[in-house]
Every structure is written in structure tokens, then in C-alpha cells.
Amino acid sequence: MKLDRIFGGLNISARGLSAQRMKMNAIAENIANAETTKTEKGGPYRRKQVVMSATDVPSFGAELVSAGMSLTRTDSHHMAGGDMEVTGGGTAPVVDAEAREDTSAGKRVYDPSHPDADADGYVMMPNVNVVTEMVDMISASRAYEANVVAIGATKTMARDSLEI
Amino acid sequence: MKLFESTRIPFLGKALDAYSLRNRVIAGNIANVETPGFVAKQVTFEEQLAGVMNGTSLAMAQTNERHLGPSAPGLPDASIVTPSPAGDPLASGVNGVDIETEMAELAKNQLRFKYAAKLLGEQFRGIQKSIRGTQ
């Protein structure tokens, strides 16, 4: 067993943790700015949304091939290097998180005394729904916990293998 | 040296490799629980091992002495499969990763690893005892 395999599991879970933390930060920002009607860019605050995607970590062999390295047969007794599978990689896709702005329109509220009210007395409010944010927060927090448990399992396995 | 090959050590080594691979795959599934469109992966090992032990699996024959032998004769390697999503396609809300199943698999896998590691340790201790004599 290779050590990088054990740490591979830890790294995958750590990426999951940081993705969920990024989501939590975006949610906190959204809730804090749920009433912000003026931003630096002008207009009301726009909700931040964290989108996750899975990326396959290429295997070492695939990395070599993509870097332009290949094996040449200089003798008929050589084995073909076509499917050279050197080590590790290419197993579990790693999660990537990216923050995007939700461009949907917010509510238009009638409040003529508000300093940001337009000529008709309407204020553009941020497109943040606090209830949605709370639900997202619970799911992010649970997903974070699941990743913590996975890290615990990987650590226990690493410790067990040291006790052989 | 056939000292280790007559024991269960090669089997247990393969099993530990398989469980460590499965741990990584489950960690990946859990990390991607909120990734839209992600399909959970699985590791098959027990079926292949059972196939080899029942003699139903394909074996490699050496028909020429220049042939390379398989790395560990007769023992299968664990492999990752991506099954077509069988259960609820939206189990986690955005994809088919069922977090309960994954957590249960993680716990099971952890126990299997511990079991195999203990057994392996006992195998080595047994060999050591037989070398030292009954002290």
C-alpha cells in the first residue's frame, strides 16, 4: 500500500470540506446582505451562489502523455507502451467549488422614504431569500460533517495499517 | 521464497489495497454529494475474488517461457466501476449520491480494513513465533 493512497483520501475529503466552507461563506454573505440596496457597482446586492463540479485527477501516465512524453519501441522485443499505467491517480474525482452571482431580479418594494427609492417611490431589493439561504446552510453544514467523518475513517485506517 | 505465499498474507494484502482504494472512492462520493450531475463510483473486489476462488474467473496461461507472469498469480486487483444510477436519481437533491448509503459503506469499509489489518498482523506474528520456537 502506498502512502499517497491514504493521503489521497484525506485530500479528497479536504477539498470537500473547503468546498462546503466556501458555500457557508457565500451563504453568510447573502444573509448579511439580505437588505443591502446599494453596492459599489450600483444597484442592489446580488446573491452569491456556489456551484460545485467534479474534476478527475489524471493518472501519472496520462500526465506524462499530455506533457508530450511517450515510449518508443526501438526493438521488436520491447513491450508496447500504449496503455502505460504508472501509478495512482484517476480514481476519485475531486470536487471544485466556484462562486457565481445569481442574476435573477430581486423584489421591487414600495418605500418612498428610502434614500435609494426611484422616482415612483420603489426600491430594488436584493434577490436573497433568507429561507432558501437557511436551508442551504443546513445542507452545507451536514455535508461538511459527512466529510469530517470520512476524514476520521481515513485516519483510522491509516492508524490501523501502522499497527500491522 | 515461498514463506509468505503459503499463508493468507497475499490475499490480505490485496484486500487491504482494495479497501484503501474503496475508501478513496467513497471519500470522493461524499465530497461530491452536492455536485450536480455527479455519478457515484463503486469498487468491485469481493465478486472478483470469489470468482477466482471458485475457479470461474479467467486465468492467464503461460504458453511460452518468455511470457511475463501475472503480477500476483491468481489474485484479482480491485477496480473502480461507475454503475448506471439505480436508485433515486436525485437522492441528494442534485445528484444520485445517497449520503446514508455512502456513510454506511464508509463505516463497513473501515471495519473490513481493521479486520484485514488485524488478521495480517496475526499472520506475521504466527510466522515469527514458528521461527523463534515456542518461547
Side-chain angles (χ1 to χ4, degrees):
Chain A
M1 182 163 46
K2 295 181 185 68
L3 263 186
D4 63 317
R5 292 197 182 164
I6 286 287
F7 294 139
L10 286 179
N11 290 342
I12 293 166
S13 296
R15 288 283 283 270
L17 285 178
S18 68
Q20 297 302 334
R21 178 173 294 278
M22 193 172 167
K23 194 170 172 183
M24 277 298 232
N25 288 345
I27 292 168
E29 201 182 321
N30 289 343
I31 294 176
N33 286 297
E35 304 272 323
T36 306
T37 52
K38 200 191 273 174
T39 56
E40 278 178 4
K41 285 186 246 168
Y45 173 81
R46 295 219 173 271
R47 171 175 180 248
K48 293 237 166 23
Q49 213 174 2
V50 171
V51 185
M52 302 193 185
S53 55
T55 337
D56 273 307
V57 182
S59 69
F60 183 61
E63 284 281 347
L64 278 185
V65 172
S66 73
M69 287 182 80
S70 59
L71 295 177
T72 319
R73 281 170 74 157
T74 51
D75 186 291
S76 58
H77 283 94
H78 283 171
M79 291 171 73
D83 34 60
M84 109 180 115
E85 183 62 44
V86 187
T87 174
T91 53
V94 172
V95 65
D96 271 324
E98 187 198 346
R100 287 185 202 162
E101 247 177 29
D102 184 353
T103 51
S104 66
K107 262 193 294 188
R108 221 166 144 246
V109 175
Y110 183 68
D111 186 1
S113 64
H114 198 287
D116 292 328
D118 60 13
D120 300 329
Y122 281 95
V123 186
M124 287 303 293
M125 297 301 284
N127 54 353
V128 176
N129 182 346
V130 179
V131 179
T132 316
E133 299 301 325
M134 291 309 239
V135 172
D136 282 354
M137 189 171 78
I138 295 170
S139 95
S141 146
R142 291 285 173 269
Y144 191 90
E145 277 173 39
N147 279 299
V148 171
V149 173
I151 284 192
T154 313
K155 264 169 62 186
T156 314
M157 283 172 61
R159 203 180 305 128
D160 287 343
S161 63
L162 287 178
E163 284 167 11
I164 293 174
Chain B
M1 180 87 145
K2 299 276 180 195
L3 176 62
F4 298 128
E5 282 170 29
S6 58
T7 65
R8 270 175 280 169
I9 288 169
F11 279 94
L12 292 168
K14 282 278 178 196
L16 285 179
D17 273 349
Y19 299 150
S20 129
L21 176 68
R22 183 176 287 150
N23 179 66
R24 263 185 303 158
V25 168
I26 295 175
N29 290 345
I30 292 173
N32 282 296
V33 69
E34 294 198 337
T35 305
F38 178 77
V39 181
K41 289 184 164 53
Q42 284 179 359
V43 171
T44 55
F45 172 68
E46 285 83 356
E47 296 88 348
Q48 293 166 24
L49 187 63
V52 168
M53 297 185 79
N54 297 333
T56 54
S57 183
L58 282 175
M60 289 170 89
Q62 265 183 305
T63 52
N64 184 307
E65 77 275 6
R66 283 178 143 172
H67 283 173
L68 289 164
S71 55
L75 289 181
D77 275 320
S79 54
I80 302 174
V81 290
T82 313
S84 54
D88 183 0
L90 285 177
S92 80
V94 290
N95 61 33
V97 180
D98 187 348
I99 190 73
E100 282 84 12
T101 316
E102 297 297 334
M103 297 313 277
E105 285 299 324
L106 185 76
K108 272 197 266 178
N109 190 54
Q110 197 184 340
L111 286 175
R112 285 199 195 105
F113 188 94
K114 199 178 182 81
Y115 181 62
K118 285 241 175 221
L119 269 180
L120 189 57
E122 287 305 319
Q123 293 280 326
F124 281 122
R125 271 184 282 282
I127 292 175
Q128 226 161 22
K129 233 177 211 171
S130 67
I131 291 170
R132 281 206 206 115
T134 52
Q135 292 174 22

